[in-house]
Amino acid sequence: MGDARFDFDGETVAVTGGSSGIGRAIALAFGAAGATVLNGDVRPDPKVGDVPTHRHIREEGGDAEFLETDVSDPEQLLALADRAAELGGLDVFVNNAGVFEDVPFLGADEATLDGHYSVNVKGVYFGCQAAARHMVDGRGAIVNVASISSRVAQGGLVHYEASKGAVEMVTRGVAFELAGEGVRVNAVAPGIVPTELYEGYSERYRTEEERDELVKPIPMGRPGTPEEVADAALFLASDAAGYTTGETLFVDGGWMVI
Ligand code: NAD
């Protein structure tokens, strides 16, 4: 018999940036666990191959929808949360959408910082607010996607690292404010996970030796998969994490223990 705490049957889950990579894996995992899934992304199609996430979930017998959403616009996040509520009451909101560009500190300009902050920080902040407006006085879970970059500097990424550091603190601050309202807020922090976003970064790592260099700091000696991150997100959203809030769960093959 399965564990009912990981059964999301009858629940509505909104995921931002659910068309590709980690967000897609999270959306598919919730769909497989019985949830009605709403994907809010700037594009319905995955960056690489395959059918759109909502269609994939439907083909597997589940319920899912796509709503075009740019998370840098708080109004569009509110519309996403409103639509999820219409689909049966918003239970889980995953702030996953993020952007990532490799720019050396001395070459970065105001647009570099603004571009990363408008999606990675503003998108998460107002995503939490939009979700909480439907969840207060009830039950709900918010899961934000942080990064090892929330704590570890790697070079060429100060703008991204600063934005992901902020995601961790938004998670803690919102968790504190909503703890008495029955809403838990946590973050999952992936290490290196080959996805479409990671491909830009991996241009620095074209040869096998360069790729070995990239995984060197990982005690487990390999990158993670989007599905491994999705499993952690499901745990944080589930009743199995019922007394956990304000936490950041690293899914990084042990990187943070060094
Ligand atoms: P990805 O590029 O494969 O997917 C990102 C998705 O977000 C895409 O579908 C894209 O269309 C969407 N998106 C981008 N801007 C958006 C916007 N303004 N509004 C709505 N949707 C938008 O990236 P990924 O690797 O799956 O990354 C997902 C999250 O995981 C990001 O927050 C990223 O920072 C984080 N992360 C990734 C890694 C990694 O190694 N891949 C590591 C740590 C953290």
Side-chain angles (χ1 to χ4, degrees), residues 33 46 52 162 168 191 195 239:
E168 200 176 355
T195 62
D239 290 344

mmCIF file of all heavy atoms in Angstrom, residues 33 46 52 162 168 191 195 239:
data_model
loop_
_atom_site.group_PDB
_atom_site.id
_atom_site.type_symbol
_atom_site.label_atom_id
_atom_site.label_comp_id
_atom_site.label_asym_id
_atom_site.label_seq_id
_atom_site.Cartn_x
_atom_site.Cartn_y
_atom_site.Cartn_z
ATOM 1 N N ALA A 33 1.347 12.072 -9.047
ATOM 2 C CA ALA A 33 0.877 11.844 -7.672
ATOM 3 C C ALA A 33 -0.596 12.220 -7.508
ATOM 4 O O ALA A 33 -1.108 12.275 -6.388
ATOM 5 C CB ALA A 33 1.744 12.638 -6.691
ATOM 6 N N PRO A 46 8.362 22.762 -24.223
ATOM 7 C CA PRO A 46 9.674 22.590 -23.612
ATOM 8 C C PRO A 46 10.763 23.136 -24.533
ATOM 9 O O PRO A 46 10.572 23.148 -25.756
ATOM 10 C CB PRO A 46 9.811 21.080 -23.442
ATOM 11 C CG PRO A 46 8.675 20.454 -24.121
ATOM 12 C CD PRO A 46 7.705 21.496 -24.550
ATOM 13 N N PRO A 52 4.141 19.575 -24.697
ATOM 14 C CA PRO A 52 4.031 20.466 -23.538
ATOM 15 C C PRO A 52 3.659 19.689 -22.270
ATOM 16 O O PRO A 52 2.944 18.678 -22.333
ATOM 17 C CB PRO A 52 2.915 21.435 -23.939
ATOM 18 C CG PRO A 52 2.933 21.439 -25.433
ATOM 19 C CD PRO A 52 3.333 20.036 -25.834
ATOM 20 N N ALA A 162 23.554 36.287 -5.933
ATOM 21 C CA ALA A 162 22.840 37.248 -5.079
ATOM 22 C C ALA A 162 21.340 36.992 -5.148
ATOM 23 O O ALA A 162 20.632 37.009 -4.129
ATOM 24 C CB ALA A 162 23.157 38.671 -5.516
ATOM 25 N N GLU A 168 16.530 32.284 -0.686
ATOM 26 C CA GLU A 168 16.573 31.577 0.598
ATOM 27 C C GLU A 168 15.997 32.459 1.709
ATOM 28 O O GLU A 168 15.249 31.996 2.567
ATOM 29 C CB GLU A 168 18.023 31.160 0.914
ATOM 30 C CG GLU A 168 18.041 30.052 1.918
ATOM 31 C CD GLU A 168 19.422 29.487 2.226
ATOM 32 O OE1 GLU A 168 20.417 29.874 1.589
ATOM 33 O OE2 GLU A 168 19.490 28.675 3.150
ATOM 34 N N GLY A 191 21.911 21.318 -6.775
ATOM 35 C CA GLY A 191 23.314 21.534 -7.134
ATOM 36 C C GLY A 191 23.379 21.633 -8.645
ATOM 37 O O GLY A 191 22.623 22.380 -9.257
ATOM 38 N N THR A 195 20.169 20.696 -17.431
ATOM 39 C CA THR A 195 18.871 21.069 -18.018
ATOM 40 C C THR A 195 19.187 22.061 -19.121
ATOM 41 O O THR A 195 20.346 22.384 -19.371
ATOM 42 C CB THR A 195 17.963 21.783 -17.003
ATOM 43 O OG1 THR A 195 18.607 22.990 -16.590
ATOM 44 C CG2 THR A 195 17.651 20.931 -15.788
ATOM 45 N N ASP A 239 2.392 16.186 3.417
ATOM 46 C CA ASP A 239 2.136 16.135 4.858
ATOM 47 C C ASP A 239 3.292 15.510 5.617
ATOM 48 O O ASP A 239 3.414 15.688 6.831
ATOM 49 C CB ASP A 239 0.861 15.331 5.126
ATOM 50 C CG ASP A 239 -0.376 16.089 4.665
ATOM 51 O OD1 ASP A 239 -0.269 17.318 4.442
ATOM 52 O OD2 ASP A 239 -1.442 15.452 4.512
#
